[in-house]
Amino acid sequence: MASENLYGKLETDVEIKASANKFHDIFKHRPHHISNVSTDKIQGCDIHEGEWGTVGSVIHWNYFHDGKPRVAKEIVEAVDDEKNLITFRVIEGDLMEHFKSFKLTIQANPKTEGEGCVVHWTLEFEKHHGEIIDPHTLLQFVADVSKDLESHLAEA
C-alpha cells in the first residue's frame, strides 16, 4: 500500500501598489490594524505573549473563512526585515482540526519596475489524513486580504 503524501505547499503572488516595507510593517508591527481594513475577513487580532514583531510572540486571530467564524493562535517563527519576510506557525485553532502543522510565510518583494510590490504567500502544511483537501480557499483568502490592505497602505 502506497503511503499518502500528507505534506503540502501552496504559493501565490499578489501584486499591490503599496511598498514592500509598508506591507511588511503592518504584519510585523500592526497586524491588529488589519481588522480595521479587511473587516469582512479579519474580525480581530490580539497579542497573547511577547511584543509585536518579535520572534516567539504569540498572536490570536479571529477571522471569517469558508462561511464560518474561525480562530487561530500563531507564533511568530521568523522575521527578516531586509527581505520583508515574516513566518507564522499556527499552534491552536480551527486549522489544527485538519492539519498537524500549518505555517504561513509572507514575503513582500519590491517590484523591479514601477511602484509597489509583489507579496509572495507560502502555506506549508501537514494533514491529519489524505481525505483532507489542500487549503486553496485559505490561499485565496490571504490573497484577498493582501488586496484589501493595498488601498489602505497606498493611501498611508
Side-chain angles (χ1 to χ4, degrees), residues 80-137:
D80 187 329
D81 292 332
E82 279 185 33
K83 293 182 180 173
N84 292 311
L85 180 145
I86 191 162
T87 300
F88 298 101
R89 183 167 46 88
V90 180
I91 53 173
E92 282 178 30
D94 292 285
L95 286 169
M96 297 291 97
E97 290 175 22
H98 301 292
F99 301 96
K100 286 183 189 172
S101 65
F102 203 97
K103 195 158 78 166
L104 303 93
T105 301
I106 313 161
Q107 183 169 13
N109 299 300
K111 281 190 190 171
T112 46
E113 291 178 22
E115 291 182 24
C117 69
V118 177
V119 180
H120 185 77
W121 286 88
T122 307
L123 310 183
E124 294 173 87
F125 49 87
E126 181 187 0
K127 304 173 191 179
H128 283 301
H129 56 77
E131 301 296 309
I132 294 166
I133 58 168
D134 287 354
H136 289 284
T137 60

